[in-house]
Each structure stands twice: as structure tokens, then as C-alpha cells.
Amino acid sequence: MRQLLPALTMCLAAVSAVYGQASAQGYLNLGPNAGLIVSSTPSLTKGGTAFGDFSGVTTLTYYIRTSQVGGSGSIQMKITNDFRPAGGPLAASGHLTYSCTANTPTNGGAATPCTGQATASTTTQTTVTSFGPDARSSLAGDTASVQWSLKNDPAFKAGSYSGTVTFTISAN
Amino acid sequence: MYSTIKKASLGLFFAGAIAFAQVGTTAPTATVSVTVAAEAALVINSNVTLTSVGTNFADYTGNNTFTYFIRTGAASGTGSIVAKVTSDFSPAGGPSVASPVTASDTLKYTATVAAPGTAAAQQTISTASTTSVASFGSDAHSVKAGNSGSTAWVLSNDPLYQTGSYTATVTYTISAS
């Protein structure tokens, strides 16, 4: 028994040490982070009037956490492949414009969508939404959208055209 | 001891990164597509009042202009502008397209259209069927602001007409495929 007791005591001490290590898990460094999902891909459709512009909506689900002090973030986009085949609309010629909406991040901070009707670019990133400090989306993500408007010029050849837009989200 | 703590912290750090990696990327793409179809529209720029000028019982003449917008199919598309009298002259006692007081009385027009349209030869307009104003071939395109056209009207001036003012309606139809 005398020999056994010290042995049990040592075991208890060891268990205590293990639990002591568990408390160290509180030191978690959560940096700014962001992710983006394109929830729908639009096929633009024409309005009722003859030669009315084509329109459609791309819905985005964003996940973001910006720094509490001085943090910011943004969703930007760029036309990385212009409409093809040739003979139809061209983003490079200013035929594609857009407006934006963005829901406020569920867990705090602010999201500011672009204002007015902006022209999509094939050469530079254009802003869809910007975020302020301490912006935190929900775990399920929050939504933003881009409403497209494409010119319907009689000069366009009849046919089907498609282009690629790349969205970029960042947080700091 | 220290070794164990390091591993636990590292595990959580990765868990945080993976959480966002599972809910999107930082640069997703979307395909924006559109189908541009054959399409056409027409604007009649003005009504026309026919007048008789010169010799007695000279035919009434006048001209009205229109602006057309068109896109026809690239491969085998076609298009047309046609016209029809959808409301004959009224009131009664004057000219009539459907029931002229003299069989040879007519309302005719000569069309002029800017390219890519091809104007029809002079036509006698009807209340029963459409007559051609212009035709378009495949891959025809107006400019964004529209291309111009006109119809020059000639109405018989029959002494049998009662004096007065008479009005008719002509409906133009443009189509593209």
C-alpha cells in the first residue's frame, strides 16, 4: 500500500498536467479572412421593348472577418474573358454595366455596395462592395449581388455570347 | 509538456483556416452569357397630309419618314417592312382604298430606305393584304440610332370626291428572323 499510494499520486498529477495543457487552447489567433461563393450564374435576358438592354443578376455569398481596428475588406471584379465569339457585345467597349447590393454583415461591421451604374472593366478591378473594420459575416455567409445591364445594339450579330467575370474578395 | 501545448495550438490554427477554406475561395468566377436574337423595331416619325399641287385635279402627294432598327440572323436571316391600310379613309364620300368611287382610283407609295434595306418597287396599298416597303437579307444591322426610310404617297384626285377632309390609317410592320 505504501508503495502503491505514491504511484496513484503521480498518476493524478499527470492527469492534472494534461488538463492544464487544455487551457492553453484559448490562445487562438483569429486573423482577418474572407471567402466568396458565386451562388448563381446569370443568362442575361432582354426586356420587353425592342432593343431593350439585356439584364440579369449574379448572387454572391460572402464570408468575411476584418480586423477590429483599422481593418477593411472588399469584393472586386474584373472581366477576365470578354464576350465571345466576336461580333457581339464587348465589355472592353463599355457595353456591360452593373449596380450592386450587399447585405450588412450579420455579426457586425458595415458593407457598402457600389453606387450608381458602374462600367465593368477588362483591364482593372472594379469594386462591388467594401467592408469596414470588424466586419463579420454569419457562418452561413451573407449575400451581395451584381445586377448586370448589357447594351442591345442592332449592330451585334445574332448569336450566343459568353464572358467570364472573376470576383476577388479580400480582408485585412 | 511544451511539445504537447504546441501541437494543440497548431491544431486550432489550422482549424480556423480550414473553416474559411470550406466556404468559398477568394477569387471565384462566373460566366455571364447572353443570346442575341434577331430583332426589329420601327418608328414612324410623322403623319402626312397629302396635297394637290399644280394643275387641276393633280394627284394628292405627300411624304412621311420612318426610322427602322433591325438585326437579322447571321446565317439565313431575313427581314421586311410591310404596310397595310388598317382604317380606310373616312368619312364616306371621299377617297377609299377598299371601295374607290372609280375603279382606277388608288393610293400608291414609293419607298426609299437606307442600306442595308432594299426598297420595294412602287406599290398600290391595300386594306386586304400587306404590301412590301423594304426587305432585308441575312446579317443585316441598322445602327443603334436607327436607319432612315420614307414612303412617298400618291392618291388619285377624282372629281367625284366630295369636298372635305379625309383620314386613313396605314400600319407598318417590321419583322426579322
XYZ file of all heavy atoms in Angstrom, chain B residues 55-105:
358
model
N -51.429 71.543 -111.419
C -52.580 71.526 -112.308
C -53.827 71.053 -111.586
O -53.746 70.381 -110.545
C -52.317 70.599 -113.503
O -52.061 69.293 -112.997
C -51.120 71.073 -114.298
N -54.982 71.424 -112.193
C -56.241 70.980 -111.616
C -56.323 69.456 -111.605
O -55.908 68.787 -112.540
C -57.422 71.536 -112.423
C -57.580 73.023 -112.218
O -57.144 73.563 -111.203
N -58.191 73.693 -113.190
N -56.848 68.976 -110.518
C -57.029 67.538 -110.315
C -55.712 66.750 -110.382
O -55.711 65.554 -110.710
C -58.076 66.963 -111.285
C -59.459 67.494 -111.003
C -60.025 68.477 -111.814
C -60.170 67.040 -109.904
C -61.276 68.988 -111.531
C -61.440 67.558 -109.630
C -62.001 68.544 -110.443
N -54.630 67.482 -110.085
C -53.363 66.745 -109.919
C -53.507 65.832 -108.698
O -54.203 66.157 -107.717
C -52.221 67.725 -109.715
N -52.896 64.698 -108.746
C -52.979 63.757 -107.628
C -52.456 64.397 -106.337
O -51.614 65.295 -106.359
C -52.171 62.502 -107.942
C -52.836 61.639 -109.010
O -54.032 61.848 -109.281
O -52.135 60.771 -109.575
N -53.002 63.906 -105.236
C -52.514 64.349 -103.921
C -51.203 63.606 -103.627
O -51.108 62.383 -103.848
C -53.531 64.027 -102.826
C -54.859 64.739 -103.011
C -55.939 64.081 -103.601
C -55.023 66.050 -102.587
C -57.149 64.718 -103.769
C -56.248 66.698 -102.765
C -57.304 66.037 -103.354
O -58.505 66.664 -103.541
N -50.254 64.319 -103.120
C -48.965 63.685 -102.806
C -48.471 64.121 -101.414
O -48.869 65.181 -100.896
C -47.871 64.051 -103.836
O -47.714 65.479 -103.848
C -48.244 63.571 -105.232
N -47.633 63.321 -100.893
C -47.025 63.643 -99.601
C -46.000 62.584 -99.234
O -45.932 61.519 -99.859
N -45.226 62.903 -98.242
C -44.116 62.026 -97.885
C -44.035 61.903 -96.361
O -44.177 62.892 -95.651
C -42.812 62.640 -98.440
C -41.657 61.691 -98.379
O -41.709 60.631 -98.990
N -40.620 62.071 -97.661
N -43.840 60.707 -95.891
C -43.572 60.557 -94.457
C -42.322 59.714 -94.255
O -41.955 58.910 -95.113
C -44.768 59.980 -93.694
C -45.042 58.551 -94.026
O -44.785 58.127 -95.145
N -45.563 57.803 -93.076
N -41.679 59.934 -93.145
C -40.416 59.243 -92.874
C -40.560 58.297 -91.693
O -41.438 58.455 -90.842
C -39.289 60.239 -92.565
O -39.624 60.948 -91.374
C -39.101 61.219 -93.715
N -39.701 57.323 -91.674
C -39.663 56.387 -90.543
C -38.211 56.039 -90.238
O -37.300 56.280 -91.057
C -40.493 55.127 -90.835
C -40.122 54.383 -92.081
C -39.061 53.488 -92.112
C -40.845 54.580 -93.263
C -38.725 52.801 -93.273
C -40.517 53.892 -94.438
C -39.454 53.008 -94.438
N -38.017 55.502 -89.070
C -36.687 55.036 -88.645
C -36.795 53.557 -88.296
O -37.680 53.175 -87.518
C -36.200 55.828 -87.423
O -36.186 57.220 -87.752
C -34.810 55.388 -87.005
N -35.958 52.769 -88.883
C -36.026 51.337 -88.575
C -34.771 50.876 -87.825
O -33.685 51.430 -87.994
C -36.247 50.505 -89.846
C -35.074 50.401 -90.787
C -34.085 49.428 -90.584
C -34.947 51.231 -91.881
C -33.006 49.315 -91.457
C -33.876 51.126 -92.755
C -32.905 50.172 -92.538
O -31.839 50.061 -93.389
N -35.007 49.873 -87.009
C -33.948 49.232 -86.221
C -34.034 47.748 -86.535
O -35.109 47.158 -86.391
C -34.166 49.449 -84.719
C -34.342 50.886 -84.324
C -35.554 51.534 -84.518
C -33.299 51.596 -83.773
C -35.731 52.860 -84.169
C -33.452 52.936 -83.412
C -34.675 53.566 -83.621
N -32.954 47.163 -86.942
C -33.059 45.745 -87.324
C -31.764 44.996 -87.090
O -30.663 45.561 -87.166
C -33.501 45.614 -88.807
C -34.019 44.199 -89.078
C -32.349 45.974 -89.763
C -34.842 44.090 -90.349
N -31.946 43.738 -86.753
C -30.841 42.768 -86.695
C -31.421 41.452 -87.195
O -32.377 40.945 -86.622
C -30.332 42.585 -85.268
C -29.220 41.537 -85.136
C -29.006 41.097 -83.694
N -28.671 42.192 -82.828
C -29.343 42.488 -81.715
N -30.395 41.783 -81.359
N -28.966 43.492 -80.961
N -30.908 40.942 -88.291
C -31.383 39.650 -88.793
C -30.351 38.573 -88.490
O -29.199 38.869 -88.160
C -31.647 39.700 -90.311
O -30.413 39.972 -90.983
C -32.671 40.771 -90.670
N -30.804 37.342 -88.599
C -29.919 36.213 -88.298
C -28.689 36.198 -89.183
O -28.757 36.562 -90.366
N -27.598 35.756 -88.590
C -26.328 35.824 -89.299
C -26.268 34.877 -90.486
O -25.693 35.199 -91.525
C -25.198 35.527 -88.332
N -26.865 33.710 -90.359
C -26.708 32.703 -91.401
C -27.776 32.807 -92.487
O -27.469 33.026 -93.650
C -26.715 31.324 -90.765
N -29.028 32.651 -92.107
C -30.081 32.627 -93.122
C -31.236 33.543 -92.720
O -32.392 33.262 -93.005
C -30.598 31.203 -93.323
O -31.021 30.666 -92.082
N -30.897 34.615 -92.051
C -31.933 35.522 -91.573
C -32.521 36.382 -92.685
O -31.902 36.575 -93.743
N -33.701 36.876 -92.436
C -34.352 37.803 -93.364
C -35.126 38.830 -92.550
O -35.331 38.664 -91.347
C -35.336 37.092 -94.308
O -36.360 36.477 -93.512
C -34.646 36.062 -95.167
N -35.579 39.849 -93.226
C -36.410 40.848 -92.570
C -37.247 41.583 -93.593
O -36.979 41.508 -94.797
N -38.269 42.266 -93.106
C -39.120 43.006 -94.042
C -39.852 44.129 -93.327
O -40.034 44.092 -92.104
C -40.141 42.068 -94.689
O -41.079 41.618 -93.725
N -40.223 45.106 -94.100
C -41.181 46.125 -93.669
C -42.339 46.061 -94.668
O -42.105 46.100 -95.885
C -40.578 47.541 -93.674
C -39.350 47.617 -92.762
C -41.626 48.574 -93.245
C -38.600 48.953 -92.846
N -43.526 45.909 -94.120
C -44.708 45.864 -94.979
C -45.710 46.899 -94.477
O -45.613 47.390 -93.341
C -45.355 44.465 -94.998
C -44.396 43.442 -95.599
C -45.773 44.051 -93.590
N -46.676 47.228 -95.326
C -47.684 48.227 -94.964
C -49.070 47.753 -95.384
O -49.207 46.956 -96.334
C -47.360 49.560 -95.624
N -50.057 48.253 -94.658
C -51.445 47.898 -94.953
C -52.337 49.019 -94.438
O -52.057 49.602 -93.377
C -51.787 46.569 -94.256
C -53.197 46.074 -94.497
C -53.415 44.766 -93.718
C -54.837 44.285 -93.854
N -55.068 43.042 -93.052
N -53.386 49.322 -95.172
C -54.353 50.307 -94.683
C -55.275 49.589 -93.697
O -56.037 48.704 -94.068
C -55.167 50.911 -95.847
C -56.277 51.813 -95.302
C -54.250 51.702 -96.769
N -55.140 49.941 -92.447
C -55.938 49.269 -91.417
C -57.203 50.054 -91.077
O -58.084 49.547 -90.389
C -55.101 49.063 -90.143
O -54.479 50.314 -89.794
C -54.038 48.009 -90.362
N -57.288 51.271 -91.551
C -58.531 52.055 -91.383
C -58.667 52.917 -92.639
O -57.850 53.816 -92.870
C -58.447 52.914 -90.121
O -59.615 53.686 -89.992
N -59.656 52.587 -93.431
C -59.810 53.259 -94.727
C -60.214 54.720 -94.510
O -60.609 55.118 -93.400
C -60.865 52.529 -95.566
C -60.677 52.736 -97.061
O -59.838 53.581 -97.442
O -61.363 52.056 -97.836
N -60.110 55.499 -95.592
C -60.455 56.917 -95.482
C -61.878 57.091 -94.963
O -62.804 56.367 -95.358
C -60.324 57.596 -96.860
C -58.902 57.828 -97.273
C -58.286 56.997 -98.203
C -58.170 58.887 -96.734
C -56.967 57.214 -98.582
C -56.852 59.109 -97.133
C -56.247 58.265 -98.055
N -62.018 58.031 -94.105
C -63.334 58.399 -93.588
C -63.356 59.919 -93.400
O -62.292 60.522 -93.235
C -63.620 57.671 -92.261
O -62.717 58.121 -91.270
N -64.486 60.548 -93.446
C -65.813 59.930 -93.624
C -66.047 59.470 -95.053
O -65.185 59.636 -95.914
C -66.748 61.080 -93.238
C -65.979 62.319 -93.617
C -64.557 62.007 -93.278
N -67.206 58.950 -95.300
C -67.573 58.477 -96.639
C -67.718 59.663 -97.592
O -67.849 60.815 -97.169
C -68.878 57.690 -96.564
N -67.686 59.344 -98.875
C -67.872 60.386 -99.889
C -66.575 60.837 -100.521
O -66.580 61.559 -101.523
N -65.464 60.432 -99.955
C -64.172 60.831 -100.484
C -63.407 59.650 -101.024
O -63.985 58.664 -101.486
N -62.095 59.729 -100.970
C -61.283 58.606 -101.460
C -61.496 57.371 -100.595
O -61.868 57.466 -99.414
C -59.850 59.138 -101.339
C -59.910 60.194 -100.305
C -61.276 60.815 -100.418
N -61.258 56.231 -101.200
C -61.342 54.963 -100.478
C -60.365 53.974 -101.098
O -60.290 53.857 -102.321
C -62.765 54.396 -100.539
O -62.786 53.085 -100.009
N -59.668 53.274 -100.256
C -58.736 52.248 -100.744
C -59.502 50.974 -101.087
O -59.276 50.341 -102.127
C -57.649 51.964 -99.688
C -56.775 50.777 -100.093
C -56.801 53.208 -99.473
N -60.446 50.633 -100.233
C -61.176 49.373 -100.434
C -62.278 49.509 -101.480
O -62.519 48.574 -102.244
C -61.756 48.909 -99.102
N -62.936 50.662 -101.509
C -64.079 50.841 -102.413
C -63.983 52.190 -103.107
O -64.752 53.127 -102.808
C -65.396 50.753 -101.622
O -65.475 49.536 -100.907
N -63.046 52.329 -104.032
C -62.889 53.621 -104.721
C -64.118 53.954 -105.563
O -64.760 53.054 -106.111
C -61.643 53.400 -105.578
C -61.565 51.926 -105.776
C -62.104 51.313 -104.537
N -64.411 55.251 -105.646
C -65.587 55.651 -106.421
C -65.372 55.365 -107.910
O -66.331 55.146 -108.651
C -65.916 57.152 -106.205
C -66.419 57.384 -104.787
C -64.707 58.033 -106.498
N -64.129 55.388 -108.333
C -63.773 54.958 -109.690
C -62.735 53.856 -109.550
O -61.801 53.967 -108.728
C -63.180 56.130 -110.501
O -64.161 57.185 -110.591
C -62.775 55.688 -111.899
N -62.893 52.811 -110.312
C -62.050 51.619 -110.123
C -60.566 51.918 -110.210
O -59.741 51.271 -109.546
C -62.430 50.554 -111.147
N -60.215 52.906 -111.004
C -58.788 53.195 -111.192
C -58.213 54.091 -110.089
O -57.009 54.369 -110.088
C -58.568 53.860 -112.552
O -59.331 55.055 -112.629
N -59.027 54.570 -109.187
C -58.508 55.394 -108.088
C -57.676 54.519 -107.152
O -58.117 53.439 -106.724
C -59.654 56.027 -107.286
C -60.381 57.100 -108.063
O -59.833 57.549 -109.096
O -61.483 57.486 -107.647
